[in-house]
Amino acid sequence: MIKTDILIIGAGPTGLFAVFEAGLLKLKCHLIDALPQAGGQCTEIYPKKPIYDIPGFPEILAGDLVNNLMKQIEPFQPGFTLGERANTIEKLEDGTFVVTTDKGTKHHAPIVAIAGGLGSFEPRKPPITNLSDFEDKGVEYIIRNPEIYRDKNVVISGGGDSALDWSIFLTDVAKSVTLVHRRNEFRGALDSVEKVQELKNLGKIELITPAEVIGLVGNNGLEEVVIKQGDEVFNRECDHFIPLFGLSPKLGPIADWGLEIEKNAIKVNNALDYQTNIPGIYAIGDVNTYPGKLKLILCGFHEATLMCQSAYQRIFPDKRYVMKYTTVGGVEGFDGSKKEAPKAVIKSID
């Protein structure tokens, strides 16, 4: 069983920044996320899109923001359970919690902070009749290990950043890469669109537009996809079909944890610490709701800060924490590192 001080459900920007604020209080954190990497939507959906309302950054790419946060929290050595969804929660007699994922991994902590953004993400699936028959038999919605596609025939559907970027990446791994999109225009970053066009001209990507995958063929596993382009219907040899149509946010099992829910969000008391109706469970970031709520990353950072202060008081009710500015006290990591401002040297004048 994994033990920690604060168990954070959701490894998006708000959850990551909570690690930093907890670290300043000498509290260890562990994060659970259903996605295979940290960063939430910023990593999975729009890593190359600019964000303009992060204080101190006139413009920063979403993926770069996540990279910066990961670097910022590195001294506090957070743990991660990625590619697993928080499934059940049990409150023990001592008031602590045990959270178990859909893969059976158990986590024990006195504080649970739900920072799941808009909830756990579930893939948007194409309307193919026998799609479920081939799930885990050649159909994948998220690429976790690119090596499974080595020397395989891969067909990707989609027109966003994920479809473009993975098509580009897999040209150096797969035997063949086919990108199918229902429009001639793509929604991704211009440099990615241009790179796909370049790889098409070099014969490294087969680009089929406007078209859709409408069927799957195979016995014990996927062997072919059926593609419709205009009035023409044809088959393509295929070992792996990867529809990348984005992710649909849902609260998922958290909705059954006894929390007060309003319009698919968790109600909290914003006047104090963003605690839910269950003492010891907090909700921060886009997953929560309260009067005046704004779903902004910078608001999530603020909520994470106040949540950590409250968590400290719950864990150490007899201790009084004296806040010190990082410009004064510096940042002392769990790895022994320390960042601090140079001390002023005072010299006497003879």
Side-chain angles (χ1 to χ4, degrees):
M1 184 180 295
I2 297 169
K3 295 186 177 183
T4 191
D5 295 319
I6 301 179
L7 180 64
I8 301 172
I9 300 171
T14 296
L16 294 176
F17 188 69
V19 174
F20 178 79
E21 288 296 325
L24 295 178
L25 301 171
K26 308 300 181 187
L27 299 177
K28 288 280 289 182
C29 293
H30 190 95
L31 302 94
I32 301 174
D33 202 296
L35 295 175
Q37 67 282 314
Q41 295 183 73
C42 288
T43 299
E44 188 67 20
I45 301 178
Y46 49 85
K48 294 184 179 180
K49 289 188 177 180
I51 303 174
Y52 300 104
D53 58 359
I54 302 299
F57 291 93
E59 177 181 337
I60 185 169
L61 298 181
D64 290 342
L65 174 64
V66 171
N67 292 337
N68 287 351
L69 286 165
M70 291 294 287
K71 184 177 180 180
Q72 186 177 24
I73 67 175
E74 187 177 358
F76 298 119
Q77 301 177 318
F80 289 90
T81 299
L82 300 174
E84 300 184 30
R85 184 177 65 182
N87 206 33
T88 63
I89 189 167
E90 177 188 2
K91 190 169 186 177
L92 305 182
E93 290 184 3
D94 63 357
T96 61
F97 302 91
V98 173
V99 174
T100 306
T101 69
D102 57 343
K103 295 186 178 178
T105 308
K106 292 184 179 296
H107 308 75
H108 181 219
I111 301 292
V112 174
I114 302 170
L118 297 174
S120 63
F121 291 99
E122 297 182 8
R124 292 190 176 97
K125 301 180 181 181
I128 299 174
T129 305
N130 61 343
L131 184 69
S132 61
D133 296 341
F134 292 94
E135 289 176 346
D136 298 323
K137 296 180 180 179
V139 171
E140 294 90 30
Y141 304 106
I142 295 175
I143 297 176
R144 291 186 167 89
N145 178 16
E147 276 302 310
I148 70 172
Y149 306 108
R150 174 131 343 243
D151 301 324
K152 303 293 184 182
N153 297 302
V154 177
V155 175
I156 294 175
S157 277
D161 286 315
S162 291
L164 292 166
D165 292 345
W166 279 117
S167 295
I168 294 167
F169 182 88
L170 290 177
T171 56
D172 293 327
V173 178
K175 179 181 179 181
S176 69
V177 176
T178 302
L179 177 58
V180 181
H181 183 41
R182 60 195 178 97
R183 296 189 180 95
N184 288 320
E185 302 79 20
F186 289 87
R187 304 184 309 277
L190 180 60
D191 61 334
S192 296
V193 176
E194 292 175 344
K195 183 64 175 178
V196 166
Q197 186 63 47
E198 178 187 336
L199 290 169
K200 175 197 172 187
N201 295 338
L202 292 173
K204 294 186 176 182
I205 288 180
E206 183 181 13
L207 185 59
I208 305 177
T209 64
E212 292 183 86
V213 175
I214 61 170
L216 306 174
V217 179
N219 293 317
N220 296 322
L222 184 62
E223 297 172 7
E224 295 179 336
V225 295
V226 182
I227 300 173
K228 185 176 188 296
Q229 185 178 31
D231 296 329
E232 184 183 2
V233 177
F234 54 92
N235 289 21
R236 274 289 184 277
E237 185 178 356
C238 178
D239 301 302
H240 294 274
F241 172 51
I242 311 168
L244 297 174
F245 297 148
L247 301 169
S248 177
K250 295 182 180 179
L251 276 180
I254 291 175
D256 300 321
W257 286 8
L259 301 167
E260 193 173 354
I261 307 295
E262 181 180 289
K263 295 181 180 179
N264 206 40
I266 302 170
K267 289 187 69 174
V268 296
N269 173 18
N270 69 315
L272 184 62
D273 54 13
Y274 306 99
Q275 197 161 192
T276 68
N277 59 304
I278 300 178
I281 300 181
Y282 300 78
I284 54 177
D286 288 356
V287 77
N288 74 15
T289 186
Y290 52 82
K293 170 70 179 181
L294 292 177
K295 293 189 176 184
L296 298 173
I297 292 175
L298 64 93
C299 294
F301 291 166
H302 165 76
E303 294 167 9
T305 304
L306 295 188
M307 177 277 294
C308 288
Q309 294 287 328
S310 176
Y312 182 90
Q313 293 301 322
R314 284 192 63 84
I315 296 173
F316 303 112
D318 299 326
K319 286 187 179 181
R320 181 174 176 268
Y321 174 72
V322 178
M323 192 186 80
K324 293 181 180 179
Y325 297 115
T326 55
T327 51
V328 176
V331 177
E332 188 173 345
F334 299 152
D335 58 359
S337 64
K338 185 168 184 178
K339 295 180 181 179
E340 59 182 338
K343 304 294 185 183
V345 177
I346 302 175
K347 293 184 178 179
S348 60
I349 299 175
D350 295 332

